[in-house]
Amino acid sequence: MTDRSVAVLAGGLSHEREVSLRSGRRLAAALRESGVDVREWDVDSSLVTQLRTDPPDAVVIALHGGEGENGSVQAVLELLDVPFVGTAAQACRRAWDKPTAKAELAGAGLDTPDWVALPHSTFRALGAQAVLDAMVDRLGLPLMLKPDQGGSALGAQVVTDRSEMPAAMVSCLAYSDTVLAERFVRGTEVAVTVVNDGPELRALPAVEIDARGGVYDYTARYTPGTVAFHCPARLDDATQARLAETALAAHRLLGLRDVSRMDAVVDEEGRVQVLEVNVSPGITETSLLPMAVRAAGMDLGRLYSALVERAIARSRFT
Ligand SMILES: Nc1ncnc2c1ncn2[C@@H]1O[C@H](COP(=O)(O)OP(=O)(O)O)[C@@H](O)[C@H]1O
Ligand SMILES: [Mg+2]
């Protein structure tokens, strides 16, 4: 038994509420198994009062999409001086906004698919058809259209024909105000989790995602059996080493803390093309982080309880 009390925040009102509740449940169970006293809190208007009247020793955020990833909940925890596992508010904001994060990574020399990001207002002002045509001319087909902020592949689409662009744009705009168009990368999709193992930052074995010819979309993600996973990925040692190096570099460049997950595609030339870096990776039964933790011979509950100790120690010095 540690004598720590931890609040796991899950739920909230984002599009990924259901996924978050599953992540929270899984994480809470793992922490309890390592002897931590866990409370599970949904995120609603009672949160600030709860944190003030009955503060836990630390918070673990299992929220996905919206407030839990864009830095808002983190900013509130910083405001209230509550220690929490994970990245500080400002860096969350940077990682959450895909075009901002991509620019940062590309600027430092990492590969990320060529892209264009434009807000709704530009499509309206300049005429959607002309702008969409220019995107296709620049990025080629197929291309990927996705909301600039979001998760679980919600709103993300592969466009294979010019005529599909307007509908794909509208579906992105249902999730976000800005559309991110990206060159489609063929190759092997992978996810690399980075964690602090004590003071050392460590990249866990890459998980290969074989969506059987399709993309790793929302249904594929949360329906067991629709996707085949391989961990470690079926890639040669040099590529695995490059993946680890890239995930660590991305974590550091974006100023992330404790835990992150890089989503990437190893393209046909063997280059690691970074799609995004998540500050609050999924922890459900079918999520990638628990697979990587298992493959590394680590225990989820012990890992997170060590991260809780890091968060508490950090708060004593700031
Ligand atoms: N440029 C791309 N090329 C190929 N596939 C992509 C590309 N961008 C996204 N995808 C596919 O769409 C999924 C979701 O994209 P991602 O950028 O990771 O956003 P999300 O935040 O929704 O997870 C990826 O897991 C991948 O299967
Ligand atoms: Mg992703």
Side-chain angles (χ1 to χ4, degrees):
M1 228 18 212
T2 74
D3 47 7
R4 296 299 188 200
S5 70
V6 167
V8 170
L9 305 189
L13 281 179
S14 86
H15 296 293
E16 294 175 82
R17 173 179 171 78
E18 290 309 314
V19 180
S20 165
L21 288 171
R22 284 164 57 184
S23 282
R25 230 172 284 141
R26 172 84 191 266
L27 192 56
L31 280 167
R32 280 189 193 111
E33 274 168 31
S34 343
V36 179
D37 170 23
V38 183
R39 300 174 248 179
E40 291 172 65
W41 285 353
D42 204 333
V43 174
D44 56 26
S45 59
S46 66
L47 183 67
V48 173
T49 311
Q50 271 179 300
L51 286 166
R52 283 209 141 135
T53 52
D54 188 14
D57 292 322
V59 159
V60 181
I61 299 166
L63 295 161
H64 309 311
E67 268 67 51
E69 285 193 79
N70 67 14
S72 306
V73 167
Q74 290 81 355
V76 169
L77 295 170
E78 286 167 6
L79 185 70
L80 299 175
D81 264 332
V82 178
F84 61 97
V85 169
T87 297
Q90 213 180 322
C92 284
R93 212 165 299 139
R94 190 164 51 209
W96 166 247
D97 187 71
K98 290 185 171 84
T100 304
K102 282 168 70 76
E104 187 94 21
L105 299 178
L110 299 194
D111 288 316
T112 181
D114 192 11
W115 80 98
V116 184
L118 287 172
H120 190 184
S121 56
T122 303
F123 290 105
R124 214 173 16 219
L126 305 183
Q129 197 58 57
V131 176
L132 292 171
D133 270 338
M135 282 176 160
V136 172
D137 293 343
R138 156 81 175 272
L139 300 169
L141 289 170
L143 63 73
M144 199 71 204
L145 272 199
K146 51 191 172 185
D148 65 333
Q149 305 177 341
S152 284
L154 288 164
Q157 355 235 316
V158 185
V159 174
T160 52
D161 191 276
R162 231 174 245 278
S163 63
E164 297 161 11
M165 287 292 279
M169 174 195 74
V170 169
S171 93
C172 285
L173 292 172
Y175 290 97
S176 176
D177 193 50
T178 292
V179 175
L180 169 59
E182 259 183 15
R183 190 180 294 280
F184 188 85
V185 184
R186 287 176 220 282
T188 307
E189 180 163 2
V190 289
V192 183
T193 298
V194 168
V195 292
N196 265 100
D197 189 6
E200 187 205 351
L201 200 57
R202 179 169 166 198
L204 303 185
V207 182
E208 176 185 341
I209 300 146
D210 178 4
R212 300 184 167 133
V215 280
Y216 187 37
D217 62 14
Y218 189 85
T219 316
R221 283 173 196 224
Y222 303 109
T223 314
T226 48
V227 180
F229 299 101
H230 302 277
C231 189
R234 299 166 301 174
L235 295 163
D236 60 48
D237 290 350
T239 309
Q240 306 244 20
R242 238 174 7 257
L243 279 169
E245 208 176 284
T246 309
L248 290 169
H251 183 102
R252 290 192 174 110
L253 282 164
L254 295 171
L256 310 187
R257 212 165 58 182
D258 297 335
V259 56
S260 71
R261 195 195 73 220
M262 172 188 78
D263 294 345
V265 179
V266 179
D267 70 16
E268 286 161 345
E269 282 78 46
R271 281 188 305 249
V272 177
Q273 301 277 353
V274 183
L275 299 181
E276 61 155 348
V277 187
N278 300 281
V279 297
S280 182
I283 315 177
T284 72
E285 310 70 41
T286 52
S287 294
L288 304 159
L289 179 144
M291 280 182 227
V293 167
R294 216 175 306 126
M298 298 167 90
D299 174 82
L300 190 68
R302 274 203 294 277
L303 168 66
Y304 272 86
S305 57
L307 295 180
V308 163
E309 292 307 318
R310 273 180 71 75
I312 293 168
R314 180 164 63 219
S315 71
R316 292 205 190 100
F317 297 106
T318 52

